[in-house]
Amino acid sequence: SPANFEPGFRGMIPARQALAESINTAAVRVLDFAGIDHVRAVARKFGIAEPIPRDLSIALGTCDVTLLEMTGAYSAFANGGYGVLPHVIEKITGAAGKVLYELLGGGPGIIVNPYAIAQLDSMMTDVIAYGTGKAARLDRPAAGKTGTSQDYRNAWFIGFTADLVTGVWFGNDDNSPMKRVTGGMLPARTWHD
């Protein structure tokens, strides 16, 4: 049974507000409406390779996803719907200047309707404007989303501007809980800085 960070039931609220304020119950309802199998398929298109459980808890982040995968997935939000394959090395040259390796291609192409992405991007600007990601607010347009796992084991903020997508994660290497750190705190402030 999902619960929100702030206690109490808020009743019907717009999806824009629910996203901005990280209303968990709304996320579960949207997932249920969209269908678990559909959402899992979309996550795969966005580059999530980790095993994804087949239950409503995935709306709350119960699937272990690396920061690199999540940041790569958010790249499609920043670029109008084109999938991105995150990488570390673009090119390797030998001592004589011969190219030994070069990354070719950047992803699978368009993976989602650009109109839908534009709508979601607009909603994610509110996360920073008045929602849980206020600490990430910049002096230029930006969008993003906070995340906090159960028992404060993970806290993240992933956001983007017109030219950069960046993810910030806080947690303990042994998966032990932090002291009530949420994605809207240290990760959002770090992203801002």
Side-chain angles (χ1 to χ4, degrees):
S1 64
N4 295 314
F5 187 74
E6 298 291 331
F9 181 64
R10 307 267 302 271
M12 297 288 283
I13 61 171
R16 175 177 292 278
Q17 181 182 356
L19 183 72
E21 297 177 10
S22 288
I23 306 298
N24 291 335
T25 51
V28 172
R29 285 179 177 257
V30 169
L31 171 62
D32 192 28
F33 177 79
I36 293 171
D37 291 331
H38 177 72
V39 170
R40 291 170 74 214
V42 170
R44 294 281 180 242
K45 286 170 77 174
F46 274 81
I48 305 301
E50 301 296 326
I52 303 171
R54 194 177 182 283
D55 60 59
L56 294 174
S57 71
I58 62 174
L60 306 178
T62 58
C63 174
D64 287 330
V65 178
T66 68
L67 181 62
L68 182 63
E69 273 187 334
M70 270 310 254
T71 305
Y74 271 64
S75 295
F77 297 127
N79 70 24
Y82 288 85
V84 172
L85 301 174
H87 58 277
V88 177
I89 299 171
E90 292 182 2
K91 187 178 193 180
I92 300 173
T93 56
K98 181 180 176 189
V99 176
L100 303 174
Y101 167 83
E102 186 168 12
L103 177 71
L104 300 175
I110 193 85
I111 59 171
V112 69
N113 180 317
Y115 176 77
I117 287 291
Q119 295 299 309
L120 190 51
D121 289 354
S122 172
M123 292 169 68
M124 288 196 301
T125 62
D126 287 350
V127 172
I128 294 174
Y130 72 84
T132 57
K134 288 185 295 255
R137 194 176 304 142
L138 300 172
D139 59 356
R140 62 187 176 280
K145 185 68 183 85
T146 60
T148 306
S149 69
Q150 191 173 25
D151 297 326
Y152 304 95
R153 294 182 193 285
N154 298 285
W156 53 266
F157 183 87
I158 302 174
F160 54 92
T161 62
D163 57 348
L164 187 64
V165 180
T166 307
V168 175
W169 170 82
F170 276 77
N172 294 317
D173 290 339
D174 64 0
N175 202 31
S176 62
M178 295 179 287
K179 294 180 179 163
R180 299 185 58 85
V181 174
T182 67
M185 296 166 60
L186 291 171
R189 281 187 240 149
T190 302
W191 187 89
H192 170 273
D193 292 348

